[in-house]
Amino acid sequence: MPNRATFFFAPLSALVLALGGFLLLPAFGSPGAIAAAVGRATEPTQPCVTEHGGDPKACSELVELEVQDVIPLIEAQTHAVVLTTKDKEIVLPVFVDEASAVSIAFRLAEREPPQPLAQDLLDDVVDQLGAKVTEVRIDDLRDNVYSGRVFLEQGPKKMTLDARPSDSIAMAMTSHARIRVTRKVLTLAGISRSEIEALQQGGPGVGGSGPPGLDEPAPSLPPPSGGQPPIDMDTRALPPGHPKLPAPGGTGKPIDL
């Protein structure tokens, strides 16, 4: 899968380290697949398009996800919103900007930001118009960019709007709407529990980063020359009968700092 190799392997080691034991507990370079749909030269006629020769059901089968965490990836200068399947077997990282990360983090913590954020304004607009978000969907992944939609209801009227997943995820959290993703996206960008465990046990990081020889014991330091104790060693705690230790070596000259 060329897309996955392009945008995941560079930041994957940082994300795996940040996840730590995330999948084991009930908790990238290119910046990775980003949750923006800005600057596309052509608008797709379909929300999701099956790859040539791929499974035609990859765009129609949907999997529900949950927001688990927001992880800053300092080296990659981005943030990852961590979505997981209900059984916690697959993680879908969505890379977002700082503003979106802050908005989602406040919602996870169930706290109000000191000032309304852009996503809060969207929530207020939807509420004032008497509508509600019923579902958020991540439809496709093309050229390392996620595309998605927000489904709204306003009385008997139903609407569907194109939206960045970073914005729509925050809106889903406010309205407790479900978040679903196509199987195509999950296949291209999802990371399974077994893949994370294998990378965590792999020693050096992807591309040879990380300390080599993690299984080798650290070399022991040589003993002090002459067998003399360190300076300022308290010899009063030595057991009775222990031979007296010689005085520390050195000329005793003062050192100008």
Side-chain angles (χ1 to χ4, degrees):
M1 299 176 197
N3 282 344
R4 189 172 187 181
T6 300
F7 60 78
F8 271 106
F9 279 12
L12 184 56
S13 58
L15 179 61
V16 170
L17 289 175
L19 286 171
F22 175 75
L23 287 180
L24 307 179
L25 299 174
F28 289 157
S30 81
I34 58 176
V38 179
R40 289 180 294 183
T42 58
E43 195 71 21
T45 56
Q46 298 294 331
C48 178
V49 178
T50 305
E51 299 292 339
H52 179 69
D55 185 354
K57 295 182 179 180
C59 284
S60 60
E61 294 182 355
L62 300 173
V63 179
E64 189 165 351
L65 301 179
E66 298 175 339
V67 182
Q68 292 293 331
D69 207 348
V70 179
I71 298 176
L73 302 176
I74 298 174
E75 292 184 1
Q77 297 181 347
T78 189
H79 296 73
V81 176
V82 180
L83 305 172
T84 67
T85 53
K86 293 284 189 178
D87 57 8
K88 304 294 190 295
E89 287 293 329
I90 301 178
V91 166
L92 179 68
V94 178
F95 297 92
V96 302
D97 57 29
E98 185 174 1
S100 298
V102 169
S103 175
I104 294 172
F106 269 109
R107 284 160 170 75
L108 275 174
E110 297 182 351
R111 294 175 53 190
E112 292 289 334
Q115 293 289 334
L117 304 174
Q119 290 79 2
D120 301 318
L121 176 60
L122 289 173
D123 290 338
D124 289 342
V125 169
V126 170
D127 184 62
Q128 291 296 320
L129 291 175
K132 64 177 180 178
V133 176
T134 59
E135 181 177 336
V136 161
R137 195 174 296 176
I138 303 175
D139 293 304
D140 210 345
L141 176 61
R142 302 186 197 180
D143 300 325
N144 297 354
V145 176
Y146 290 116
S147 61
R149 292 175 293 165
V150 174
F151 295 79
L152 302 101
E153 290 184 0
Q154 187 184 40
K157 185 177 181 179
K158 296 183 179 181
M159 297 168 283
T160 304
L161 305 176
D162 292 338
R164 302 189 313 168
S166 54
D167 295 327
S168 58
I169 288 172
M171 297 177 71
M173 296 175 70
T174 301
S175 58
H176 304 287
R178 63 182 179 179
I179 301 170
R180 296 202 291 176
V181 61
T182 60
R183 185 161 57 82
K184 174 187 175 182
V185 171
L186 207 59
T187 300
L188 285 174
I191 309 173
S192 69
R193 177 197 294 263
S194 59
E195 287 175 311
I196 289 180
E197 291 175 348
L199 285 166
Q200 288 175 334
Q201 298 170 3
V206 175
S209 62
L214 295 178
D215 296 332
E216 298 176 3
S220 57
L221 297 175
S225 59
Q228 297 180 355
I231 295 175
D232 293 335
M233 179 176 181
D234 188 358
T235 60
R236 293 173 296 177
L238 293 174
H242 192 284
K244 186 177 181 181
L245 296 173
T251 60
K253 294 180 180 181
I255 300 175
D256 294 330
L257 298 178

